[in-house]
Amino acid sequence: MDDTTGVVLRAPRYVLGETEVDHTDIKGFADFIDERQMMPDADMWGWGAVHTTALDTAALAVEAGRRTLRAAGVEPSGVDALVLCSTTFPAEVEAHGELIASVLGGLGLGPVPVTGVTLNRCANMLSGLRVAAGMVASGRHRTVLVITADRVAAESERLTDFALFSDGAASCLISRRVAGAPESYEWVADASSQDPAALGRGNEISADLARAANEQLFAEAGIGIEAIDGLLHNNIFLPVVTMKEVQAGFAQSQLDTSNIARVGHCFAADPLINLADQRSAGTIRDGGLYLLASSVSGLRMCVLLRAHIHEGVTEVQKSVEASPATLENLRATVRKVMQLPESEEVDTRTPRQLGAGSLQTVALQFRILQETSVNVEMSELVGDLSIADIAALIDERRPTAT
């Protein structure tokens, strides 16, 4: 790969299937665990909910891509290439063009070059990220949008020997470092290890391949395994991923398994979903090292990132702070009015950057007045004030008891 110094991953975002289904309500679930003689212990296996959709993969891809562009504050014209990843592209060649046209049109990207990535199963996203990083490192492209989108073809495929599958998509931008970007992760190193003889689906994931990939990765990065702040893996059954990663040398405390039950296994999207959710939860450490990793039978792929989460905070923003309660309440109001996911970072962005139209802005103005008795002017909501700035404004104007 070209020298990736200065390459960053920006604004990871995702979308899940719109219908949440408890694992006990998945058709055939009871027979599935009975046939495999699995102990019916949801906590042990990490069984929780899965997310299903009526949308096709193109629509999922478009929605995820829009969320990344909004989060990064990047207009579609600022993207000059798209890497589209999926486990299953249309079988008919004629449909490939229709898929590309649907995604490009839905995102308003124009006739940018599109690279399709498949064949690596649930490591497709990481493979796509490496392709995009090479594009940027070589100077061929400035800003590449990477999207992975998948849904099960038939409900019977939601149940497998290693995971409960959800429908969903995830995305991010790959570019050179951008001054003032609100959320970016420096590309530190990447690696993969493969055993062609074990690539068949019936084989287990391999701790040996993980160790081999780790050896490459840590040698390139000049660190030891203990330096990793978080290992963000695919959301497969809890005992499987935990034991394989511990056998590969990681401490259990380094492994993020919090989304296995909440999200399910969204094909290749899981590492980005888990990164976005850690950022939303405030558990990403500025300067911390986070390893996106995917293991499938016969293959291990990983990308090491260093978090730079405070780059977009200006000195003005640092000097103006709302109370934590006001900011938290406003976050919830903004997400509800604009129908944004919990993972959507809103504090440093304006309503306009979050995609607020005129009706949503009016609704936001009304809800703020209802909830706080503070009138925020329309000109202030459509101007350059971030959500954090607006929260500080609410505190400043809030009526005081006499």
Side-chain angles (χ1 to χ4, degrees):
M1 173 175 286
D2 300 281
D3 181 10
T4 55
T5 302
V7 173
V8 296
L9 182 154
R10 298 163 56 195
R13 293 295 185 272
Y14 67 91
V15 59
L16 300 176
E18 64 275 9
T19 302
E20 182 176 312
V21 180
D22 187 78
H23 66 279
T24 56
D25 293 326
I26 301 174
K27 184 178 180 180
F29 180 78
D31 291 338
F32 169 81
I33 63 172
D34 185 56
E35 290 169 2
R36 286 156 179 78
Q37 299 182 322
M38 300 174 76
M39 181 187 301
D41 186 335
D43 290 337
M44 185 189 77
W45 292 107
W47 294 333
V50 296
H51 300 262
T52 71
T53 187
L55 303 176
D56 60 19
T57 53
L60 290 171
V62 167
E63 180 56 30
R66 285 175 178 167
R67 293 181 182 187
T68 281
L69 294 177
R70 284 200 303 264
V74 172
E75 295 295 328
S77 59
V79 175
D80 59 355
L82 171 66
V83 174
L84 183 60
C85 313
S86 186
T87 303
T88 307
F89 285 120
E92 302 79 15
V93 173
E94 293 80 4
H96 293 180
E98 296 174 5
L99 173 63
I100 292 171
S102 294
V103 175
L104 291 180
L107 291 168
L109 293 183
V112 301
V114 178
T115 300
V117 175
T118 189
L119 297 182
N120 290 309
R121 294 159 289 166
C122 294
N124 281 330
M125 182 63 171
L126 296 185
S127 181
L129 293 179
R130 298 175 82 193
V131 169
M135 290 176 170
V136 172
S138 69
R140 183 175 295 274
H141 294 288
R142 299 183 306 277
T143 303
V144 181
L145 177 60
V146 184
I147 305 175
T148 185
D150 278 288
R151 54 165 296 168
V152 299
E155 284 304 307
S156 60
E157 297 177 7
R158 223 171 268 291
L159 304 168
T160 71
D161 291 336
F162 58 91
L164 304 181
F165 275 79
S166 281
D167 306 329
S171 57
C172 65
L173 292 173
I174 301 292
S175 70
R176 290 290 182 182
R177 184 180 300 279
V178 177
E183 177 189 357
S184 65
Y185 301 84
E186 174 190 353
W187 193 284
V188 178
D190 60 89
S192 65
S193 183
Q194 182 170 282
D195 177 7
L199 287 172
R201 184 170 181 173
N203 293 302
E204 296 182 359
I205 62 174
S206 169
D208 291 336
L209 289 177
R211 282 191 291 267
N214 287 348
E215 185 176 346
Q216 299 173 40
L217 188 85
F218 298 144
E220 182 180 345
I223 62 171
I225 195 170
E226 70 284 351
I228 300 300
D229 288 85
L231 171 60
L232 309 175
H233 194 277
N234 283 339
N235 298 327
I236 59 179
F237 288 152
L238 184 58
V240 177
V241 66
T242 300
M243 294 312 303
K244 293 298 182 182
E245 297 305 325
V246 169
Q247 291 166 9
F250 291 99
Q252 190 171 350
S253 60
Q254 291 173 296
L255 180 59
D256 177 18
T257 60
S258 58
N259 267 342
I260 294 177
R262 190 187 75 83
V263 174
H265 179 34
C266 294
F267 295 80
D270 294 345
L272 271 191
I273 291 173
N274 297 337
L275 179 64
D277 278 355
Q278 280 213 4
R279 170 71 177 94
S280 181
T283 55
I284 294 290
R285 181 178 69 84
D286 195 35
L289 290 170
Y290 297 89
L291 184 60
L292 310 184
S294 179
S295 289
V296 299
S297 54
L299 176 66
R300 168 73 163 206
M301 197 167 291
C302 47
V303 172
L304 180 61
L305 304 171
R306 187 184 306 277
H308 296 287
I309 58 175
H310 299 309
E311 289 186 349
V313 181
T314 66
E315 292 304 314
V316 173
Q317 289 170 333
K318 288 178 183 177
S319 65
V320 180
E321 293 185 359
S323 70
T326 299
L327 182 54
E328 180 57 36
N329 290 337
L330 183 58
R331 283 190 199 115
T333 298
V334 169
R335 288 176 177 138
K336 184 174 182 179
V337 168
M338 299 186 60
Q339 300 182 59
L340 299 173
E342 287 296 317
S343 61
E344 191 81 26
E345 195 282 325
V346 302
D347 292 12
T348 62
R349 295 156 64 200
T350 68
R352 183 173 53 190
Q353 288 172 334
L354 289 166
S358 58
L359 290 177
Q360 287 177 313
T361 306
V362 170
L364 179 59
Q365 184 184 38
F366 177 66
R367 290 303 296 270
I368 291 173
L369 182 62
Q370 274 190 318
E371 295 169 1
T372 69
S373 299
V374 170
N375 180 37
V376 179
E377 299 293 339
M378 182 62 65
S379 60
E380 294 168 326
L381 291 175
V382 300
D384 296 326
L385 295 179
S386 70
I387 300 304
D389 294 333
I390 295 169
L393 195 63
I394 291 170
D395 275 346
E396 181 182 334
R397 296 178 181 172
R398 193 186 298 272
T400 56
T402 58

